[in-house]
Amino acid sequence: MAGKKGAVGNKDFLNKVTQTSKGAAQNVSKTLNRVGSGTLQVDDSRKKIEYIDISKMEGAPAEWNRYPLLKENQPDKYLELKLSVYEKGIEDPLVLWQRPGGMYMILAGHNRRDVCAEIILECRDEEGFDEEKYRSVPCIVYQEDEIDEEGAKDIINDTNLYRDFSKLPEKIKQQIVIDRLETYKKRRYAKGERIDQLMKDFGLKKSAIYDALALNENVIEPLQKLFFDGVLKKKTVMRFTNFPKDTQQWIYDEFREQISDAKVNALKKNMTRDEITQVFQSEGKEVKRLTVEIPAGREDEFRELLKKWLAGEARCS
């Protein structure tokens, strides 16, 4: 469509939108400045800026980088970034790790690389477009033997702190919290310092961090997945921390189709498996918790009578 009378090319479009998006571009620039001046644990202050062709860059392994790409997770932020890069080019260098065969692994800058590739694809046929501005971009490069895999992962973690943590999927947030605490531990932070640093880095409440730890350590993965998939609420899945993991696994194996917020919230700490079964077999009935006072020493008698009563109700329904 470029060059036709009355047509608006990609270059013209980006120019027009950029003129009305100064604030958005400035916000992205400030955001990226946090990456440029972030808390890298390796000394990059004396490194020279190198200009590397984006075609020689490859993404870090998915298991190293927990954060979804902006285009997938926050398309509005991706557009703001695209406008900023189009107007000013890459202001903050990407961080790369040289790999065998002449390629470079991106440790910081996946979104900036993708934005540059997209701008080139969309605007290369426009008159006056400077492709080299987006093709060879400023980078900080670590040589192959200069850092190891753990150092590379640390850089990825540290340079991702600027993201809007609250908008990430629950599973990703959980993994990041656990990973960051482990990173702080390796850096010899005391336990309290780890929590304080995580609160500062991500704006989390202390209770949310402890919930993440409890969920990770005390709830089996299949039940965690029900929370991540939106089947159970966070408050609900945390009730499973009241039960040993073998009981959790038994509940999942026996009643996975009946597990719901209502049923799980009806479970009480120290319930026997028979009592748990009664809760999950009360299909079609509203379940409520009751507190009953009975004479001391007659607990077993009461449980047996209650069990028979519930069974009788079930036969009559």
Side-chain angles (χ1 to χ4, degrees), residues 56-75:
K56 296 182 179 180
M57 301 178 191
E58 58 188 10
E63 60 270 22
W64 292 13
N65 187 3
R66 303 293 194 184
Y67 290 81
L69 294 172
L70 285 180
K71 191 172 186 179
E72 301 169 357
N73 188 249
Q74 298 181 55

Side-chain angles (χ1 to χ4, degrees), residues 200-214:
K200 178 181 177 182
D201 286 342
F202 295 104
L204 292 172
K205 294 182 178 179
K206 187 174 293 187
S207 59
I209 298 173
Y210 282 118
D211 280 350
L213 283 169

Side-chain angles (χ1 to χ4, degrees), residues 20 32 64 125 150 181 186 198 213 216 242 252 292 294:
T20 60
L32 293 178
W64 292 13
D125 295 330
E150 289 304 311
L181 288 174
K186 289 189 297 183
L198 198 56
L213 283 169
N216 183 68
N242 291 325
Y252 182 79
V292 180
I294 60 174

Side-chain angles (χ1 to χ4, degrees), residues 77-94:
K77 294 295 184 183
Y78 183 80
L79 179 57
E80 289 178 9
L81 176 61
K82 184 174 180 180
L83 296 174
S84 177
V85 170
Y86 179 79
E87 179 186 20
K88 303 175 182 179
I90 298 293
E91 293 188 301
D92 297 278
L94 284 69

